[in-house]
Structure formats: structure tokens, C-alpha cells
Amino acid sequence: MTCSTTLTGQNPAAAGGTPAPSVPAPQLDWSPCVPGSAFDCATARVPLDYNNPGGRTLELAVVKRKATGPGRRIGTLFFNPGGPGGPGTVQMPQNYERSPREVRERFDIVSWDPRGIGSSTAVNCFASPEEAADWNASKAAGFPVGEKERAAFIAAYKDLARRCEQRDPELLRHVSTTDTARDLDQLRRAVGESHLTYQGISYGTILGATYANLFPDKVRAMVLDSNIDPQAWTNHASDADPRLTTFLRMGSDRTAAATLDQFLTLCGSTTTAHCAFSAGSPEATRDKFDQLMQKLRKHPVGAWTYAGTVADVVNSLYIVHPGWTDLAGRLQDLWQGRVAEPSPLPHPPAVPHPNPYLGEEQGAAVLCGDSPNPRDPNVYHGLEEAAAARAGDAGRFWTWAAEGCSTWPAVAADRYLGPWNKPTAHPVLVVGTTYDPSTPYTNAQAMAKELANARLLTHNGYGHTALLNPSSCINTYTGRYFIDGTLPPAGTTCRPDTPPFSASKPAGGVATGGGGLAGTVS
């Protein structure tokens, strides 16, 4: 399924179904990101508001790695790293080697910082890095514990909303997923592709699903990995004050709890040589974790509070290798009363701005403007207790993760609310991991059902996204699909290449059975 490289006119349908005014494709003037870099960089200019294309424009920072087998090049693959708020110009180069080799040979891989994010025209609600750091220090790490911390947490996000509204209220209304889907179509045109080849992980799945329904005739191949249920994202297309937050509608609390339970079970099933936090059995290790959390509530270890540690635990479950092993070491340090060393940051890539400002307000601008959340800050404590009753510590973390939306000052001017089942030119491949601490497997099942023509590929494993938790089985199927459109057989299940806490490296073959673990992440 080779793409033609002729430029085609845009055929955007606005959220209400009316075509947006035609906009010329941006010009991309590629040059090496830094001298000697294997990556090329460019800047695209796009309208702030596609319904007013002659008005204010925004800049998008774009990055490309050319196909390594140029004589066999098929076209361009666009990649979105998720978030919302993930800077593609940083994260695509960092994760480039994780793409299947044959995909890197046959495609230019392009990513970008979405509008509002990173090195593109960005949401930034502070006058200086010091001001941003002071704001961050004004609230509890992770989530608030107790009445005093809750009041300070709510006040901090009210203050953030006030600052953001003062600085650039117009931008806040135009950083929606729909706006970014239109940008993606402009970038497709700019590189001369008649159809889109796309890989989106995490938040990138709702972006991909939005694109597929705004531009269904432009879809060549689309892999959506670690999915957000579109009905959860849009609150079933309702603006009525929602009872639950976006993440609680998705079930992020339950799937984080299930993944944490797997972490403790597998840790307790091995020796301290493989998992430093092991107490010799799954049950004893779970008890040890609960005791540690109770100890930290009363006596933090240095800056490691109970809530800050829970946030670190949930985030550290995203990438199994080396994340789970490193997390076990930190938990053991805290158990012994030692201040744990935080995880090292990934190596900055060779791009002009390897560490752009990525304040919380950037992701919040997308999430809060796009996805309805309860508007009364005072309901979050009750939601937290309900989530904790069903999902323990992880329920507390995921409840407060959306509290900033309660006082957010803007609603997106252009939101896509459905339908999600417009027939696409080619089928979509949906990938779901059974134990994912952020986006439940049930959301992948929901996405596969919502889309008009999609195939679900199950990663019977752990962590957030199959891309970042390698399975050569998954890579084989996604590579084949990107190259020639071949879908995996219905019901296909893959395993990770390397189990958690394991020094062995089994082949990531197709697992037997139909994904028996799937029902436990609900």
C-alpha cells in the first residue's frame, strides 16, 4: 500500500460537520536540528483558528528522521508521544530506536510539539522559571493530604487559572485536540502525502481517533497504542457537569491499582537480587508496601512524603525496564529510612531546545479545555475517598490529577464530540496492554468498538504503551501493518520480550489463549 506523493487539497469537516475554510499548506524548510544531527528540524505556521484563517498564526516545531533505506522509502509516518503535553521534538528522537527497524527503513518519521506545547507557540502562565517553581512549591507533591493541604492545592490551581487567563486567553481556547488534528492534516499536506500514516500513543490515541473522524478518507494506516475511550474523554458528548473526572471515567485508578498489585505480586515472587523490595512472598510484599505507605503518612523520609511517593510509584509503573527494578530499589531505600534517589531523566536529544519549558498548564490547557471535569473543587475530596475505596492509594493520585480543571478559565472553541464511527479509507490498528497504570485495556476494547473499522491487538503485559515496553511480537504486527496494511488475525495476543524482574530474555512470541488477563483490568 504505497502512498502517492502528490499534494491533495484539504477536506476538513468542522466538529459540526461544516467544512472549515481552506488553508494553504505550510512550507517546511528542513535543516539539521543541530550541526551533525541525524534529525532535521523545521517550523510550520498554522492558523490559531481554522475558522478565521486570515487571523493570528501559531508556530509548530517539527522534527524528522529520514528513512534509513531511501531506495525503499514508502512515505512519512507521523508520531504523537501523548500527554497531553508531550513534546514530539524531544520524545520522538529519544524513542526513535524503539520503532521497528523495517519501519525506520521505509518511512521518514516526523513528530512535532502540538500547539500550546514545548517549542511550539506554547501556553506559559509565568513570567519566569523562578515564578513557575514558586507556584509548584505552593502545593503538595502528588496530591493533598488533609484539609490544610487540600485548601492550598485548590488555591494553587485557582491561581494558575487566573495567571493563564491574564496572559493569553485566546490561545487557551485554541489548543484543542480538534485544532491539533487539523494541524496534523496540514503537516500531512506539507510533506506531500495524499494519505496519513500515523502512530499515536496514550493521548495520541484520542488525537488519532479525532483525525480519523474529521478526515476519514485520508487515513492510510493508523496505530493507536494505549487508548483513551472517546466516550470517557468527551463525557459521552455531554457538557452537563460530570460526576467523575476524565481519569475516573477512563478507569485510570483501577488499572493503576491492578498494575501496582502485579508489581508487588511479581516482586514478592522473586528474590531481593531481582526485586529489592521483595518480602519473600506476594502477600508479605503487599503488606510491606501498605506498611511503608502508613509510615510515610506519619514520617516522610526527607522530601519523600506519602503522596509524593504514591505519585512516583504510579509514574514508575509506566516503563517496566528499568522502571520497575529502579522503583523497587527506591521503595527499599525508603523502607530502611534512606532518602531515595529519583529516577534519572532521559538523555536530552540533539535538537535546538532539548529541555523546553513544559509547565503543568500546557497539558491542562488541552485536557481541561477539551474534556469535561467537575467544576466544584469541593467535590474532589469525596471523589478521592470513593476512588481510594476501590483502588487504594492510586485512586487518590488519579482523582486529584484533574483537579486543576475545576477552575480552568477556558473551554475549547472547537471540540470534536463524535460520532466516532465514520468509515475510514483503511482500517485502524488498536493496541492495548492488559496491565497499564494509566489507560486501561478496557479503553482499547472501547476504542476498537467505537471506530468504524478497527482491529484490536492485545499486549498481554505490563506498563504504559507497547512501544515503550517492547514486544517483538507487537513490533512484527505493527511493522507489517504500516508497510503493507496487513492486520493481525482477530484475537491476536502478544507477550513482552522480557518479563518484569527477569534477567532472562525470552522471545516475544504470540501467547496462547485469548488474553486471559484482560478481564482483570476493569
Side-chain angles (χ1 to χ4, degrees), residues 212-291:
N213 285 279
L214 287 174
F215 307 100
D217 58 328
K218 298 298 181 193
V219 175
R220 175 194 172 273
M222 183 174 278
V223 169
L224 306 180
D225 176 3
S226 282
N227 287 256
I228 294 173
D229 176 356
Q231 298 298 344
W233 182 259
T234 62
N235 190 38
H236 293 270
S238 169
D239 278 333
D241 197 27
R243 195 174 57 84
L244 297 175
T245 71
T246 304
F247 300 118
L248 297 181
R249 289 194 300 269
M250 287 167 57
S252 299
D253 57 331
R254 291 177 192 245
T255 195
T259 307
L260 174 58
D261 188 66
Q262 284 293 299
F263 167 86
L264 296 168
T265 297
L266 294 170
C267 180
S269 303
T270 190
T271 63
T272 52
H274 291 292
C275 180
F277 194 66
S278 176
S281 75
E283 188 176 8
T285 306
R286 286 194 288 269
D287 287 346
K288 181 178 175 181
F289 181 81
D290 291 341
Q291 288 175 46

Side-chain angles (χ1 to χ4, degrees), residues 67 106 111 130 135 162 167 237 389 402 435 477 480 517:
R106 310 286 305 266
S111 192
E130 293 74 26
W135 175 82
R162 180 184 57 77
R167 281 179 77 87
Y435 287 102
Y477 284 118
R480 194 177 299 159
L517 297 180

